[in-house]
Amino acid sequence: MAFSSPVQGFRFSVLFLAGGAIPNPLDIRFQKVSGLTATVTTTTLEEGGQNLYSHKLPERASYENLVLTRGAVVGSPLNLEFNAAMTVFKFAPSNVLVTLLGEDKVPLAAWLFLKAYPVKWSTADLDADQTGVLIDTMELAYTRMQILRI
């Protein structure tokens, strides 16, 4: 059996799968993705007369919010969706697919976030002493994550 090198995490894509529409090229490029975390909460059950151990029973899965970071973009449909959620409380949940790509741009792994919707949107400070790119951070809650190993 041959062992491969560890997978590098700097080639990835983010696709918002809303109503079967083709993703806008402005809304697939992100600098950073975080929050790829799932946790199973448990309940401890003490068995009568058993002092050596206790049972841990699974209760439910919980997920951290998906956090996407990118340079601020003008004219982005995704910005319009976030703006609608934050200003008029109108939500249009969509599925989000994050795909890890190999050197040859072939998918290696993916994470599918079901019924994602915006819960936080922040823009970095405006600073006349800085010359860097203005950064937007978008945070989404979702109902469930499916991990896909390709």
Side-chain angles (χ1 to χ4, degrees), residues 12-17 30 33-34 36 66-68 95-101 109-113 146 148 150:
F12 58 89
S13 69
V14 179
L15 297 175
F16 284 79
L17 309 169
F30 289 89
V33 175
S34 60
L36 305 174
L66 178 64
V67 181
L68 306 172
N95 295 337
V96 178
L97 181 65
V98 175
T99 306
L100 179 65
L101 305 170
W111 296 262
L112 179 62
F113 301 89
Q146 289 181 312
L148 311 168
I150 302 168

Side-chain angles (χ1 to χ4, degrees), residues 21-149:
I22 297 172
N24 184 308
L26 293 174
D27 293 328
I28 63 173
R29 296 184 178 117
F30 289 89
Q31 176 185 2
K32 183 177 180 181
V33 175
S34 60
L36 305 174
T37 304
T39 304
V40 173
T41 56
T42 60
T43 297
T44 302
L45 177 66
E46 305 290 337
E47 186 176 346
Q50 178 54 267
N51 296 326
L52 295 176
Y53 61 86
S54 57
H55 302 279
K56 291 206 178 240
L57 305 175
E59 276 188 348
R60 69 180 39 96
S62 62
Y63 308 99
E64 287 189 16
N65 287 341
L66 178 64
V67 181
L68 306 172
T69 306
R70 70 176 181 182
V73 177
V74 175
S76 158
L78 187 57
N79 286 356
L80 295 175
E81 290 291 329
F82 270 73
N83 195 32
M86 300 297 163
T87 59
V88 295
F89 218 62
K90 181 180 176 191
F91 295 87
S94 65
N95 295 337
V96 178
L97 181 65
V98 175
T99 306
L100 179 65
L101 305 170
E103 286 183 40
D104 50 5
K105 297 183 182 173
V106 171
L108 299 174
W111 296 262
L112 179 62
F113 301 89
L114 302 169
K115 297 182 183 175
Y117 58 93
V119 293
K120 185 176 180 181
W121 184 15
S122 61
T123 299
D125 295 342
L126 303 176
D127 186 346
D129 292 331
Q130 298 295 322
T131 60
V133 173
L134 182 64
I135 300 296
D136 275 343
T137 302
M138 303 171 170
E139 193 166 325
L140 300 112
Y142 52 92
T143 58
R144 192 163 59 97
M145 174 178 67
Q146 289 181 312
I147 301 169
L148 311 168
R149 294 294 187 250

Side-chain angles (χ1 to χ4, degrees), residues 3-9 100 103 108:
F3 292 98
S4 64
S5 300
V7 176
Q8 296 179 329
L100 179 65
E103 286 183 40
L108 299 174

